[in-house]
Amino acid sequence: MADDVAAALLEDEDWPAESVALLTTHARHPVQKERQAEGQDAYWATFWDDENLFYGHVLGFKGLERPAVVLAVNGFRDAARAREMLYVGLSRARDLLVVCGDLELIRRVGGEGVAQRLSGVRQDTR
């Protein structure tokens, strides 16, 4: 699903490739694995590449940002750091954030407020 969303941003919504990142919270994306197999210097050179969107893991993207981020919440390796990883991913987009993943997992990790915000559901707290 995250791949489809990223492709739609590039093809249907005309986002430039250098403006989009696809980030994961657990397993690395297959494209990230391919690029890292060429070495870390080659992999990080793709961050500056104008031709392709950037694929990364949220922990490797701390302190970085892109105008548009597709966040693939695909689980968490370390339950103790899950909330931190979710929040890092949620804060990497400057203009557009698209979150793909299981809303119940997001609710367990980020809390009810985060889940409501992402689903667009409002709850009366009176």
Side-chain angles (χ1 to χ4, degrees), residues 4-51:
D4 295 336
V5 170
L9 290 177
L10 300 175
E11 296 165 12
D12 301 337
E13 298 188 30
D14 293 325
W15 281 85
E18 69 270 13
S19 296
V20 181
L22 190 156
L23 304 178
T24 60
T25 59
H26 184 255
R28 293 176 294 155
H29 190 281
V31 173
Q32 180 183 0
K33 290 178 184 179
E34 285 175 20
R35 292 178 179 177
Q36 285 180 318
E38 297 173 13
Q40 287 299 311
D41 289 341
Y43 168 68
W44 281 105
T46 67
F47 181 76
W48 306 106
D49 186 358
D50 291 346
E51 303 291 319

Side-chain angles (χ1 to χ4, degrees), residues 109-121:
V109 171
E112 187 62 34
V114 170
Q116 286 179 6
R117 181 79 185 247
L118 292 175
S119 66
V121 176

Side-chain angles (χ1 to χ4, degrees), residues 56-86:
H57 187 276
V58 293
L59 292 181
F61 210 73
K62 269 182 139 176
L64 301 173
E65 57 184 23
R66 280 284 157 100
V69 170
V70 177
L71 177 62
V73 180
N74 60 347
F76 299 94
R77 267 179 257 171
D78 183 354
R81 295 188 70 192
R83 188 177 193 101
E84 171 196 359
M85 290 191 304
L86 180 62

